[in-house]
Amino acid sequence: MNRARIRLRDRVHLGEPGTGLIGPVNLPDPDAVRRNLEAFASFGPRTRIALRPDTAGEHWIHDPQRLLESIEVIEEPADPLELLIPTGRPIAPMRVTLAGRYLRTEHDHGVGEIRFGLLAHQVITGAITPRDPDMLSQISRRRDGLGTAALRVFGSRPTRVLDVFRSMRETRIARPEFAPADEFPTDAGSVPTRRGSHAVAVAVMPADVLGELRRWRDATLPRVSLFALVVSGLTRALTASGIPVDDVGTLPVDLRRYLPTGTNPLANFVSGIQLPLRRGSDPARLHHDLVTAVASGRPIVSLARVTALGYAAQWLSHDGQRPAPGPSQPGAPLVFTGIQAHQQLMDSFPWIDPENSIFVSGTRPAVPEGITLQSATVHGRLLISASFQPQVHRSARVRGALDAFATDPVGVLRDRP
């Protein structure tokens, strides 16, 4: 079997399940799904769709046969969101569930993140041809990564390094002596720890309510992104529901934006930047901080720093294991993910009922106190999901916060925190 070394960026997420649910869509029959996956996997490990870790956790093994054996067909549940409940079953390389008009995939987060999951869904549903030349050309440049991104950003204007430090200085707030652990590599350079099962709560903002939010934004906060509104609104809603929130949140940035057009690493290629949420409860301030950080190239520096610290920790560790976790958080560390940047991919799926379409993913938070939040615009509706450990946070409070923002986002944002 083909083998490839597991890189540090993959190791950070290794062993963590990632679930994706999409529907209602026209799904091919199981035999066609097998043919689609087999054709795509035939191009080898660079597709990453048939990778599983070896027993030592040192190498990826390309195992198309086990992938094809993982396809299952079940009845469509009355509530498709039930498919987000973690099964606890082995997922390597990937578990594919065809449930009537709904598709669920479960894969090891070490293999890839949202961009990888969306591509897998495209291949399975037949939204793209597995041997499409344009698609294959995107993954052929597998050597383009952090070094290419850094050269493109800082090689053209080295003074951007000063912009990075300015961004970090301007967004720094007082912190306890320990650094938070987040789901993605962050400015803090911390190493996550994981335990316990997780639950996923979902809320849907109807198209008319989302339209009202955008009109309010245009009138009061012009040029502020929808993502900044969502981050600020959910932070306020969670706080109002009685969930203590950490003063700093993590906003992952897809580093593919810094690569040549058409280049698409399918491995984990996301860096998290930490921004203050207390000041960030002001959407305009949060938007400014995020735009400034991205323009400066700060996410590249953040991931490079974390990678260097990770390798140093491995070299200094006697047993090769991760450092012991730090103390618990004073509040829930929040990680926000928005997939608006992948909207063109979302539009490619063979949707059946746009009025009730969903795309939701769930990933266990990196620390027990953490909450991972995702927002996605699907056919004019905003879907919001929260992954959390119910042993730590009351499900009713999390669901209540999501419902409050999805029902009356303008009211949540208009009220002072």
Side-chain angles (χ1 to χ4, degrees), residues 47-97:
T47 64
R48 300 187 70 86
I49 206 164
L51 296 185
R52 62 174 175 85
D54 61 14
T55 54
E58 295 295 330
H59 292 86
W60 292 118
I61 297 177
H62 186 239
D63 195 349
Q65 183 58 40
R66 185 177 294 190
L67 169 65
L68 300 180
E69 292 171 354
S70 73
I71 300 171
E72 62 180 359
V73 180
I74 64 174
E75 294 291 331
E76 180 178 318
D79 181 2
L81 296 180
E82 293 178 3
L83 296 169
L84 287 171
I85 299 174
T87 63
R89 292 174 293 179
I91 57 175
M94 175 185 290
R95 179 171 293 279
V96 178
T97 303

Side-chain angles (χ1 to χ4, degrees), residues 154-215:
F154 299 108
S156 60
R157 186 160 67 87
T159 55
R160 280 199 177 97
V161 174
L162 300 177
D163 297 336
V164 171
F165 289 110
R166 186 179 302 112
S167 170
M168 296 177 70
R169 183 178 64 251
E170 291 177 352
T171 58
R172 185 181 295 120
I173 64 173
R175 300 291 297 153
E177 294 183 357
F178 61 92
D182 295 298
E183 183 177 8
F184 297 98
T186 65
D187 295 333
S190 55
V191 179
T193 179
R194 305 168 169 92
R195 65 176 182 270
S197 61
H198 72 282
V200 182
V202 179
V204 179
M205 184 181 297
D208 58 337
V209 178
L210 180 57
E212 178 186 352
L213 173 61
R214 284 185 163 133
R215 288 190 293 273

Side-chain angles (χ1 to χ4, degrees), residues 92-366:
M94 175 185 290
R95 179 171 293 279
V96 178
T97 303
L98 310 177
R101 302 170 299 161
Y102 292 86
L103 167 66
R104 175 184 65 192
T105 58
E106 299 172 273
H107 71 273
D108 192 312
H109 193 0
V111 175
E113 15 85 359
I114 287 177
R115 185 62 184 84
F116 168 79
L118 282 169
L119 179 60
H121 284 195
Q122 285 185 300
V123 171
I124 292 168
T125 61
I128 59 173
T129 303
R131 299 181 185 276
D132 180 88
D134 292 336
M135 186 270 296
L136 292 175
S137 67
Q138 293 182 25
I139 63 175
S140 63
R141 302 181 60 167
R142 55 188 181 279
R143 290 184 176 83
D144 279 347
L146 191 58
T148 302
L151 183 62
R152 285 171 56 83
V153 171
F154 299 108
S156 60
R157 186 160 67 87
T159 55
R160 280 199 177 97
V161 174
L162 300 177
D163 297 336
V164 171
F165 289 110
R166 186 179 302 112
S167 170
M168 296 177 70
R169 183 178 64 251
E170 291 177 352
T171 58
R172 185 181 295 120
I173 64 173
R175 300 291 297 153
E177 294 183 357
F178 61 92
D182 295 298
E183 183 177 8
F184 297 98
T186 65
D187 295 333
S190 55
V191 179
T193 179
R194 305 168 169 92
R195 65 176 182 270
S197 61
H198 72 282
V200 182
V202 179
V204 179
M205 184 181 297
D208 58 337
V209 178
L210 180 57
E212 178 186 352
L213 173 61
R214 284 185 163 133
R215 288 190 293 273
W216 176 81
R217 182 270 311 273
D218 293 343
T220 60
L221 299 168
R223 294 183 295 278
V224 171
S225 67
L226 176 63
F227 183 57
L229 297 176
V230 171
V231 172
S232 299
L234 289 176
T235 301
R236 295 187 186 192
L238 288 167
T239 302
S241 71
I243 297 177
V245 172
D246 191 74
D247 287 341
V248 171
T250 301
L251 281 65
V253 175
D254 192 333
L255 298 186
R256 293 171 183 83
R257 71 180 63 214
Y258 300 111
L259 294 177
T261 301
T263 303
N264 178 29
L266 295 180
N268 289 288
F269 202 56
V270 170
S271 174
I273 55 175
Q274 293 186 321
L275 297 177
L277 289 182
R278 293 306 183 189
R279 279 191 300 165
S281 61
D282 173 8
R285 176 70 191 199
L286 181 65
H287 176 81
H288 172 269
D289 289 346
L290 181 59
V291 169
T292 301
V294 170
S296 71
R298 175 174 164 184
I300 299 174
V301 174
S302 172
L303 185 57
R305 177 174 179 266
V306 172
T307 301
L309 290 174
Y311 280 122
Q314 285 184 343
W315 292 333
L316 296 174
S317 174
H318 295 295
D319 56 7
Q321 300 298 314
R322 293 175 177 171
S328 297
Q329 306 287 49
L334 305 183
V335 177
F336 293 89
T337 301
I339 66 170
Q340 277 74 19
H342 304 299
Q343 196 61 48
Q344 184 177 0
L345 299 180
M346 298 292 293
D347 294 339
S348 70
F349 291 108
W351 299 102
I352 295 175
D353 183 5
E355 296 295 325
N356 295 292
S357 54
I358 59 172
F359 176 82
V360 183
S361 67
T363 304
R364 184 167 59 194

